[in-house]
Amino acid sequence: MTLELHDLCLTAPGAAAPLFAPLSLRIAPGEIACLTGPSGVGKSSLIAGIAGQLPRGFVLSGQVRLNGRDLLALPPERRGVGVIFQQALLFPHLSVGDNLAFGLSPEFRGRTARRAAVSEALERAGLPGYGARDPATLSGGQRARVALMRALLAQPGALLLDEPFAALDPALRAGMRDFVAEHLRAAAIPALLVSHDAQDAAVARQSLAIAPLGAGG
Amino acid sequence: MIWLRALVAMLIGAPVLVGVGLTLAAAWGADWTKVLALPGLWGGLRLTLITGIGATVLSLALSVPLGLWIMGRPWAARWLAPMLAVPHAALAIGLAFLIAPSGWFGRALAQVLGWAVPPAWPLPGDPYGAALVLGLVLKELPFLLLMTLASASQVDVTGQMAVGRSLGYAPGRVWARVIWPQLYPGLRLPVFIVLAYGLSVVDMALILGPSHPPTLAVQILRLYTAPEMRQAEASVLAIGLVAMTAALAGIWWLAERACTAFGLMALRRGRRGIARRWPGSVVMAAQGGLFVAAMAVLALWSVTGIWRFPDLWPEGLSLALWARGDWIAVALRSLWLGLASVSLALTLAVAVLEGEHRAGRPLRLGAIIVAPLLLPQIGFLQGLTTGFLWLGLPAGPLAVIWAEVLFVFPYVLLSLGGPWRALDPDQLRAAASLGAGPWRQLWRVRLPLLARPIAAAAAVGFAVSVAQYLAVLLPGAGRVATLTTEAVALASGADRRVAAVYGLAQAVLPLLAFALALALPAYGRGGSGGRAP
């Protein structure tokens, strides 16, 4: 599994020029690449574009390949690209365990096997026995860990992280960075992280700063 | 605020209670063997269950995929309000003109297949009640969709959809498995209203339902209006219908639990589903198409001179029936009955909301407000008419207005309540800091700021009032003629053109009210800037 970006250009609705210079990047399995840049440069929109969920009006040109397969022509659910959003976005009406069960890939078959996979994921997240809990009772850091496990249980071919630590307490960020790095290495998939915080680049093998194109940015 | 609660209890709660109580009292002395031996009772019961439950389940089931479809299409959502404004009876008459053997569909088929005489299909009024179910679904679907949209504004639909799709789920799957279940609590009350309505509807059942035997509600009305005294038998059936509605609501509640459990089991299985493009668009096109075609054929018949069978278009158009003008007096009566009941309902709603605001907490009126919508109308309106007589209020326009307020008030309150509570409290505080007392705040700040929602709530209430059938027929003792009662009576008559005139007038009146509600405050805002205090 390798994620390749070729000459990616993002244009905002109604704008004539792209937001940043064409972007090319190759991310190997188990590797994290970090894109840093000021807010408003289009980092979140870039993630949304790779995931196939750009708001109407944005134009993404260039190529995105996952293991050689061109992604941009596919609907979001068939790209095999997991996304970690700024907010954990756990389903508030489902228990923590059911949030994970919803994420768990259908390749796990049978009730017992699926249940075992969910409780194992909870253990790896450091939340053993939290399956029946209401997500609202979790701390911000716990919610972020559940969101990461939910995305990984779907067995994506790549993972995109959109400022995953921004909503966390500064004291929790370092721990969460290590947690993410460790699990992404274990999953052996390429990951692309965008952040406005230069410290986040520390977890990444390669990091790239993107700057706005032109004076108007 | 105790007096306010007492007022609502007296104006809205008491009539319902008295109505059910007096119906029960009238049923007490009935001869049960005679009731059970009524011809067509069991057939009517079966028909009532099929049409009432069928229409509710079908409307709700269709509203799930359509809810997702309409979420992304604000232009389509704008059509929901006008569809809501069209009364049941007008839609039923138009639909009958579409599906009857000599209706537009029959004519279209005749053109293709070369028929010279109308086909012999039993529509409308098929023994299974299919035409009635179709009519109810066409009318209730927009209502449930509007409620779905209202409920969806409380949930982060975009974010959850993005999460679901990034986990590999098709959009329809995300919607049905995780998003819609969060919206359902907001749909429960509307669904119970639809269920109670479907089980007890009379006007639509008279036009689209079978007549041998008709639905239970129609049988009850026939007994109530029979020349010989059959009040007791009718009352037994009316109470039976109330009990049945309550029992079905209980069963529905149990079915809800079961569906929740099944839904959770399916969710845990994690099947991703495949994206399908057709369901939403196809169902919506069918619904909208039938609705618009029914209205169009209604309008066409009202200006038809002669229209021979296989022709798709009448030979000549004429305004003769409109020019006859007999509909004008009836339309004016519908208009002033509507204005009266809306004024009362609006005043009461403003009093309740302002009282709630000053008390700083909800008034806890819940059950009283929605009781008239959750009970079968025929279960208490005849008893209420008796109660009005005891109060010294004879059957006639005043009794009709009070009865209409029972159904207008809940809709006015529900549609005004949201915007009222959402008004920025800072604007009121700013007024208070300028020395405005509570009354001045109400008159000079809140009501002008809420002009648009108030106009919209009034239009909703007016549409409800114009559409009332039983609430006019029973408290009016059949002597108050409105567009609805006339249209329903004429629908079974020989002349389609006359029925079309009244049916179309009945549909146009509330649509005009909606158009006015959209237009009026726009004028008001332009002039208010430079006005001296």
Side-chain angles (χ1 to χ4, degrees):
Chain A
M1 291 281 180
T2 306
L3 183 67
E4 291 166 284
L5 316 182
H6 277 295
D7 293 336
L8 266 194
C9 261
L10 187 67
T11 312
L19 285 161
F20 45 77
L23 182 73
S24 294
L25 206 57
R26 189 171 184 284
I27 312 169
E31 191 181 273
I32 303 176
C34 181
L35 289 177
T36 56
S39 51
V41 75
K43 300 186 300 292
S44 292
S45 302
L46 179 69
I47 292 279
I50 298 172
Q53 302 184 328
L54 268 182
R56 194 165 293 174
F58 278 92
V59 180
L60 186 69
S61 64
Q63 275 191 332
V64 178
R65 292 180 174 278
L66 182 58
N67 245 9
R69 195 170 60 131
D70 190 11
L71 288 191
L72 292 189
L74 296 173
E77 64 270 17
R78 289 182 45 210
R79 295 190 179 191
V81 173
V83 185
I84 300 293
F85 298 89
Q86 295 181 17
Q87 305 294 327
L89 287 177
L90 299 182
F91 300 115
H93 66 305
L94 296 178
S95 68
V96 171
D98 284 336
N99 264 285
L100 294 176
F102 183 73
L104 182 61
S105 160
E107 282 172 29
F108 285 83
R109 284 168 201 274
R111 208 137 67 120
T112 16
R114 290 184 65 84
R115 248 192 226 158
V118 166
S119 44
E120 195 205 319
L122 280 170
E123 258 164 52
R124 285 197 293 146
L127 300 165
Y130 274 58
R133 289 278 285 268
D134 179 343
T137 66
L138 300 188
S139 71
Q142 289 172 329
R143 273 202 288 271
R145 278 182 277 163
V146 174
L148 181 74
M149 295 320 287
R150 180 175 67 178
L152 290 177
L153 284 177
Q155 301 188 321
L159 195 68
L160 310 173
L161 301 102
D162 181 8
E163 306 255 14
F165 316 120
L168 292 182
D169 228 288
L172 289 171
R173 276 184 209 162
M176 190 63 198
R177 272 188 211 115
D178 295 342
F179 179 83
V180 168
E182 180 195 327
H183 280 89
L184 284 174
R185 259 196 302 279
I189 53 171
L192 177 65
L193 188 157
V194 303
S195 173
H196 69 275
D197 184 351
Q199 287 192 354
D200 289 344
V203 293
R205 183 81 50 86
Q206 50 177 329
S207 101
L208 210 71
I210 46 178
L213 249 184
Chain B
M1 291 300 133
I2 189 86
W3 62 271
L4 197 55
R5 284 177 75 168
L7 187 70
V8 175
M10 201 188 76
L11 288 178
I12 308 293
V16 176
L17 216 59
V18 167
V20 175
L22 289 180
T23 307
L24 196 60
W28 212 253
D31 182 351
W32 281 79
T33 50
K34 251 169 84 185
V35 174
L36 293 178
L38 282 170
L41 175 65
W42 301 108
L45 176 64
R46 201 189 53 204
L47 184 68
T48 301
L49 288 172
I50 293 176
T51 52
I53 299 174
T56 310
V57 170
L58 204 57
S59 307
L60 185 64
L62 290 176
S63 82
V64 179
L66 284 189
L68 173 60
W69 186 88
I70 211 158
M71 283 287 298
R73 292 170 178 80
W75 59 267
R78 274 198 289 276
W79 284 91
L80 294 176
M83 285 202 274
L84 227 55
V86 171
H88 282 81
L91 175 67
I93 296 172
L95 188 61
F97 290 174
L98 278 186
I99 62 176
S102 58
W104 243 354
F105 291 166
R107 289 164 190 270
L109 277 177
Q111 295 285 337
V112 178
L113 301 172
W115 294 339
V117 286
W121 63 48
L123 290 173
D126 61 291
Y128 305 102
L132 177 55
V133 169
L134 177 65
L136 282 168
V137 169
L138 284 183
K139 188 70 181 80
E140 305 301 7
L141 199 48
F143 174 57
L144 290 180
L145 286 177
L146 210 60
M147 294 296 117
T148 306
L149 288 179
S151 199
S153 63
Q154 313 287 318
V155 174
D156 177 13
V157 175
T158 319
Q160 297 196 358
M161 185 57 86
V163 169
R165 296 188 80 175
S166 79
L167 293 172
Y169 284 87
R173 234 0 119 86
V174 186
W175 176 257
R177 286 270 197 271
V178 290
I179 299 177
W180 192 83
Q182 294 175 68
L183 310 184
Y184 182 75
L187 287 174
R188 189 177 287 122
L189 181 64
V191 164
F192 280 144
I193 292 174
V194 169
L195 180 66
Y197 192 89
L199 288 169
S200 64
V201 61
V202 171
D203 51 359
M204 249 191 176
L206 282 169
I207 299 165
L208 294 174
S211 43
H212 299 291
T215 62
L216 225 45
V218 172
Q219 292 187 28
I220 297 169
L221 180 66
R222 282 189 186 165
L223 288 172
Y224 270 138
T225 52
E228 65 275 18
M229 295 298 285
R230 305 188 72 172
Q231 298 278 320
E233 291 161 64
S235 302
V236 169
L237 293 186
I239 290 299
L241 192 58
V242 172
M244 198 173 86
T245 307
L248 283 175
I251 292 172
W252 187 279
W253 187 79
L254 289 176
E256 240 177 52
R257 316 275 102 177
C259 287
T260 309
F262 276 121
L264 213 49
M265 269 166 59
L267 175 138
R268 287 176 185 149
R269 233 171 276 139
R271 303 260 165 79
R272 262 46 177 177
I274 8 167
R276 292 189 190 84
R277 295 196 66 83
W278 58 270
S281 333
V282 168
V283 180
M284 203 68 224
Q287 197 273 344
L290 277 173
F291 207 106
V292 171
M295 287 297 110
V297 79
L298 195 61
L300 195 55
W301 266 110
S302 79
V303 293
T304 286
I306 299 169
W307 195 352
R308 285 184 221 287
F309 169 64
D311 299 349
L312 281 176
W313 200 256
E315 267 170 42
L317 300 182
S318 109
L319 287 171
L321 280 174
W322 288 100
R324 212 165 73 185
D326 55 332
W327 56 275
I328 295 174
V330 183
L332 285 176
R333 190 172 303 115
S334 280
L335 177 69
W336 75 256
L337 285 174
L339 290 178
S341 55
V342 167
S343 316
L344 283 171
L346 204 54
T347 310
L348 195 58
V350 167
V352 164
L353 291 168
E354 179 67 10
E356 180 185 291
H357 166 70
R358 291 191 194 173
R361 62 189 157 76
L363 286 176
R364 270 195 279 282
L365 294 165
I368 299 179
I369 292 164
V370 291
L373 303 184
L374 293 177
L375 286 171
Q377 292 195 350
I378 198 138
F380 65 94
L381 279 177
Q382 184 64 16
L384 179 60
T385 307
T386 314
F388 281 158
L389 276 176
W390 287 4
L391 267 180
L393 185 61
L398 282 181
V400 169
I401 290 171
W402 195 344
E404 284 193 350
V405 168
L406 299 183
F407 307 105
V408 174
F409 171 68
Y411 284 108
V412 170
L413 185 68
L414 291 177
S415 74
L416 187 55
W420 188 286
R421 296 184 187 110
L423 188 72
D424 185 4
D426 283 347
Q427 283 172 311
L428 292 169
R429 263 182 234 127
S433 72
L434 292 173
W439 289 103
R440 213 176 143 76
Q441 283 178 41
L442 175 66
W443 282 108
R444 284 308 176 95
V445 182
R446 195 187 278 273
L447 293 182
L449 280 174
L450 290 175
R452 202 170 258 272
I454 288 172
V460 169
F462 186 73
V464 172
S465 162
V466 170
Q468 291 305 314
Y469 178 67
L470 282 182
V472 174
L473 198 66
L474 294 176
R479 288 192 296 270
V480 179
T482 64
L483 288 174
T484 306
T485 61
E486 292 302 285
V488 173
L490 289 165
S492 54
D495 197 342
R496 279 190 183 168
R497 298 169 306 168
V498 189
V501 166
Y502 282 88
L504 190 65
Q506 193 214 8
V508 166
L509 208 52
L511 285 174
L512 281 179
F514 268 79
L516 215 60
L518 282 179
L520 269 185
Y523 283 115
R525 213 179 331 156
S528 65
R531 205 178 292 152

PDB file of all heavy atoms in Angstrom, chain A residues 36-57:
ATOM      1  N   THR A  36       2.348  20.895   6.821  1.00  0.00           N
ATOM      2  CA  THR A  36       2.042  22.007   7.716  1.00  0.00           C
ATOM      3  C   THR A  36       1.845  23.267   6.888  1.00  0.00           C
ATOM      4  O   THR A  36       2.325  23.367   5.766  1.00  0.00           O
ATOM      5  CB  THR A  36       3.166  22.255   8.732  1.00  0.00           C
ATOM      6  OG1 THR A  36       4.373  22.466   8.006  1.00  0.00           O
ATOM      7  CG2 THR A  36       3.320  21.087   9.680  1.00  0.00           C
ATOM      8  N   GLY A  37       1.109  24.188   7.448  1.00  0.00           N
ATOM      9  CA  GLY A  37       0.869  25.435   6.741  1.00  0.00           C
ATOM     10  C   GLY A  37      -0.092  26.276   7.544  1.00  0.00           C
ATOM     11  O   GLY A  37      -0.767  25.762   8.442  1.00  0.00           O
ATOM     12  N   PRO A  38      -0.160  27.557   7.234  1.00  0.00           N
ATOM     13  CA  PRO A  38      -1.047  28.440   7.990  1.00  0.00           C
ATOM     14  C   PRO A  38      -2.519  28.068   7.760  1.00  0.00           C
ATOM     15  O   PRO A  38      -2.835  27.442   6.752  1.00  0.00           O
ATOM     16  CB  PRO A  38      -0.732  29.822   7.407  1.00  0.00           C
ATOM     17  CG  PRO A  38      -0.214  29.548   6.040  1.00  0.00           C
ATOM     18  CD  PRO A  38       0.518  28.244   6.130  1.00  0.00           C
ATOM     19  N   SER A  39      -3.360  28.466   8.688  1.00  0.00           N
ATOM     20  CA  SER A  39      -4.773  28.147   8.494  1.00  0.00           C
ATOM     21  C   SER A  39      -5.305  28.964   7.318  1.00  0.00           C
ATOM     22  O   SER A  39      -4.864  30.084   7.075  1.00  0.00           O
ATOM     23  CB  SER A  39      -5.562  28.433   9.766  1.00  0.00           C
ATOM     24  OG  SER A  39      -5.294  29.729  10.229  1.00  0.00           O
ATOM     25  N   GLY A  40      -6.194  28.346   6.571  1.00  0.00           N
ATOM     26  CA  GLY A  40      -6.755  29.007   5.402  1.00  0.00           C
ATOM     27  C   GLY A  40      -6.034  28.668   4.124  1.00  0.00           C
ATOM     28  O   GLY A  40      -6.447  29.067   3.045  1.00  0.00           O
ATOM     29  N   VAL A  41      -4.951  27.892   4.224  1.00  0.00           N
ATOM     30  CA  VAL A  41      -4.190  27.575   3.020  1.00  0.00           C
ATOM     31  C   VAL A  41      -4.866  26.436   2.242  1.00  0.00           C
ATOM     32  O   VAL A  41      -4.544  26.177   1.096  1.00  0.00           O
ATOM     33  CB  VAL A  41      -2.723  27.236   3.370  1.00  0.00           C
ATOM     34  CG1 VAL A  41      -2.627  25.852   3.989  1.00  0.00           C
ATOM     35  CG2 VAL A  41      -1.830  27.333   2.145  1.00  0.00           C
ATOM     36  N   GLY A  42      -5.833  25.761   2.879  1.00  0.00           N
ATOM     37  CA  GLY A  42      -6.558  24.710   2.175  1.00  0.00           C
ATOM     38  C   GLY A  42      -6.156  23.316   2.601  1.00  0.00           C
ATOM     39  O   GLY A  42      -6.382  22.354   1.875  1.00  0.00           O
ATOM     40  N   LYS A  43      -5.580  23.184   3.804  1.00  0.00           N
ATOM     41  CA  LYS A  43      -5.145  21.858   4.263  1.00  0.00           C
ATOM     42  C   LYS A  43      -6.351  20.925   4.464  1.00  0.00           C
ATOM     43  O   LYS A  43      -6.362  19.790   3.989  1.00  0.00           O
ATOM     44  CB  LYS A  43      -4.378  21.959   5.593  1.00  0.00           C
ATOM     45  CG  LYS A  43      -3.128  22.820   5.540  1.00  0.00           C
ATOM     46  CD  LYS A  43      -2.353  22.751   6.830  1.00  0.00           C
ATOM     47  CE  LYS A  43      -3.143  23.214   8.043  1.00  0.00           C
ATOM     48  NZ  LYS A  43      -3.459  24.645   8.047  1.00  0.00           N
ATOM     49  N   SER A  44      -7.357  21.417   5.184  1.00  0.00           N
ATOM     50  CA  SER A  44      -8.537  20.577   5.446  1.00  0.00           C
ATOM     51  C   SER A  44      -9.255  20.233   4.150  1.00  0.00           C
ATOM     52  O   SER A  44      -9.732  19.113   3.970  1.00  0.00           O
ATOM     53  CB  SER A  44      -9.498  21.294   6.386  1.00  0.00           C
ATOM     54  OG  SER A  44      -8.915  21.411   7.654  1.00  0.00           O
ATOM     55  N   SER A  45      -9.298  21.204   3.220  1.00  0.00           N
ATOM     56  CA  SER A  45      -9.959  20.941   1.947  1.00  0.00           C
ATOM     57  C   SER A  45      -9.180  19.913   1.143  1.00  0.00           C
ATOM     58  O   SER A  45      -9.772  19.108   0.424  1.00  0.00           O
ATOM     59  CB  SER A  45     -10.095  22.236   1.150  1.00  0.00           C
ATOM     60  OG  SER A  45     -10.815  23.184   1.903  1.00  0.00           O
ATOM     61  N   LEU A  46      -7.850  19.925   1.286  1.00  0.00           N
ATOM     62  CA  LEU A  46      -7.038  18.938   0.585  1.00  0.00           C
ATOM     63  C   LEU A  46      -7.378  17.526   1.083  1.00  0.00           C
ATOM     64  O   LEU A  46      -7.567  16.592   0.294  1.00  0.00           O
ATOM     65  CB  LEU A  46      -5.551  19.236   0.813  1.00  0.00           C
ATOM     66  CG  LEU A  46      -4.582  18.262   0.148  1.00  0.00           C
ATOM     67  CD1 LEU A  46      -4.645  18.424  -1.366  1.00  0.00           C
ATOM     68  CD2 LEU A  46      -3.163  18.463   0.643  1.00  0.00           C
ATOM     69  N   ILE A  47      -7.486  17.384   2.423  1.00  0.00           N
ATOM     70  CA  ILE A  47      -7.877  16.099   3.013  1.00  0.00           C
ATOM     71  C   ILE A  47      -9.243  15.687   2.487  1.00  0.00           C
ATOM     72  O   ILE A  47      -9.451  14.547   2.039  1.00  0.00           O
ATOM     73  CB  ILE A  47      -7.930  16.220   4.558  1.00  0.00           C
ATOM     74  CG1 ILE A  47      -6.521  16.427   5.130  1.00  0.00           C
ATOM     75  CG2 ILE A  47      -8.608  15.015   5.175  1.00  0.00           C
ATOM     76  CD1 ILE A  47      -5.724  15.179   5.273  1.00  0.00           C
ATOM     77  N   ALA A  48     -10.188  16.651   2.511  1.00  0.00           N
ATOM     78  CA  ALA A  48     -11.535  16.344   2.029  1.00  0.00           C
ATOM     79  C   ALA A  48     -11.496  15.930   0.560  1.00  0.00           C
ATOM     80  O   ALA A  48     -12.233  15.026   0.142  1.00  0.00           O
ATOM     81  CB  ALA A  48     -12.446  17.552   2.224  1.00  0.00           C
ATOM     82  N   GLY A  49     -10.619  16.576  -0.215  1.00  0.00           N
ATOM     83  CA  GLY A  49     -10.529  16.248  -1.632  1.00  0.00           C
ATOM     84  C   GLY A  49     -10.015  14.837  -1.854  1.00  0.00           C
ATOM     85  O   GLY A  49     -10.529  14.099  -2.692  1.00  0.00           O
ATOM     86  N   ILE A  50      -8.986  14.449  -1.098  1.00  0.00           N
ATOM     87  CA  ILE A  50      -8.443  13.094  -1.254  1.00  0.00           C
ATOM     88  C   ILE A  50      -9.471  12.063  -0.802  1.00  0.00           C
ATOM     89  O   ILE A  50      -9.611  10.989  -1.376  1.00  0.00           O
ATOM     90  CB  ILE A  50      -7.127  12.945  -0.458  1.00  0.00           C
ATOM     91  CG1 ILE A  50      -6.078  13.919  -1.011  1.00  0.00           C
ATOM     92  CG2 ILE A  50      -6.594  11.515  -0.541  1.00  0.00           C
ATOM     93  CD1 ILE A  50      -4.819  14.000  -0.177  1.00  0.00           C
ATOM     94  N   ALA A  51     -10.257  12.422   0.236  1.00  0.00           N
ATOM     95  CA  ALA A  51     -11.282  11.504   0.731  1.00  0.00           C
ATOM     96  C   ALA A  51     -12.531  11.510  -0.138  1.00  0.00           C
ATOM     97  O   ALA A  51     -13.403  10.666   0.011  1.00  0.00           O
ATOM     98  CB  ALA A  51     -11.661  11.867   2.170  1.00  0.00           C
ATOM     99  N   GLY A  52     -12.637  12.499  -1.045  1.00  0.00           N
ATOM    100  CA  GLY A  52     -13.811  12.559  -1.916  1.00  0.00           C
ATOM    101  C   GLY A  52     -14.959  13.333  -1.332  1.00  0.00           C
ATOM    102  O   GLY A  52     -16.099  13.142  -1.733  1.00  0.00           O
ATOM    103  N   GLN A  53     -14.683  14.197  -0.362  1.00  0.00           N
ATOM    104  CA  GLN A  53     -15.785  14.879   0.304  1.00  0.00           C
ATOM    105  C   GLN A  53     -15.633  16.387   0.275  1.00  0.00           C
ATOM    106  O   GLN A  53     -15.953  17.087   1.243  1.00  0.00           O
ATOM    107  CB  GLN A  53     -15.881  14.370   1.742  1.00  0.00           C
ATOM    108  CG  GLN A  53     -16.074  12.858   1.733  1.00  0.00           C
ATOM    109  CD  GLN A  53     -16.268  12.271   3.090  1.00  0.00           C
ATOM    110  OE1 GLN A  53     -15.721  12.763   4.053  1.00  0.00           O
ATOM    111  NE2 GLN A  53     -17.048  11.211   3.168  1.00  0.00           N
ATOM    112  N   LEU A  54     -15.154  16.899  -0.870  1.00  0.00           N
ATOM    113  CA  LEU A  54     -14.999  18.344  -1.006  1.00  0.00           C
ATOM    114  C   LEU A  54     -16.355  19.030  -1.037  1.00  0.00           C
ATOM    115  O   LEU A  54     -17.287  18.529  -1.664  1.00  0.00           O
ATOM    116  CB  LEU A  54     -14.284  18.652  -2.331  1.00  0.00           C
ATOM    117  CG  LEU A  54     -12.772  18.777  -2.304  1.00  0.00           C
ATOM    118  CD1 LEU A  54     -12.293  19.134  -3.707  1.00  0.00           C
ATOM    119  CD2 LEU A  54     -12.331  19.841  -1.315  1.00  0.00           C
ATOM    120  N   PRO A  55     -16.479  20.165  -0.364  1.00  0.00           N
ATOM    121  CA  PRO A  55     -17.714  20.941  -0.500  1.00  0.00           C
ATOM    122  C   PRO A  55     -17.889  21.367  -1.953  1.00  0.00           C
ATOM    123  O   PRO A  55     -16.905  21.507  -2.688  1.00  0.00           O
ATOM    124  CB  PRO A  55     -17.472  22.163   0.386  1.00  0.00           C
ATOM    125  CG  PRO A  55     -16.375  21.781   1.301  1.00  0.00           C
ATOM    126  CD  PRO A  55     -15.540  20.775   0.576  1.00  0.00           C
ATOM    127  N   ARG A  56     -19.168  21.568  -2.356  1.00  0.00           N
ATOM    128  CA  ARG A  56     -19.471  21.916  -3.734  1.00  0.00           C
ATOM    129  C   ARG A  56     -18.717  23.191  -4.125  1.00  0.00           C
ATOM    130  O   ARG A  56     -18.602  24.118  -3.337  1.00  0.00           O
ATOM    131  CB  ARG A  56     -20.981  22.130  -3.876  1.00  0.00           C
ATOM    132  CG  ARG A  56     -21.448  22.176  -5.298  1.00  0.00           C
ATOM    133  CD  ARG A  56     -22.948  22.009  -5.355  1.00  0.00           C
ATOM    134  NE  ARG A  56     -23.355  20.663  -4.931  1.00  0.00           N
ATOM    135  CZ  ARG A  56     -24.635  20.301  -4.785  1.00  0.00           C
ATOM    136  NH1 ARG A  56     -25.575  21.176  -4.969  1.00  0.00           N
ATOM    137  NH2 ARG A  56     -24.945  19.076  -4.420  1.00  0.00           N
ATOM    138  N   GLY A  57     -18.175  23.214  -5.345  1.00  0.00           N
ATOM    139  CA  GLY A  57     -17.520  24.420  -5.836  1.00  0.00           C
ATOM    140  C   GLY A  57     -16.001  24.315  -5.856  1.00  0.00           C
ATOM    141  O   GLY A  57     -15.343  24.945  -6.671  1.00  0.00           O
TER     142      GLY A  57
END
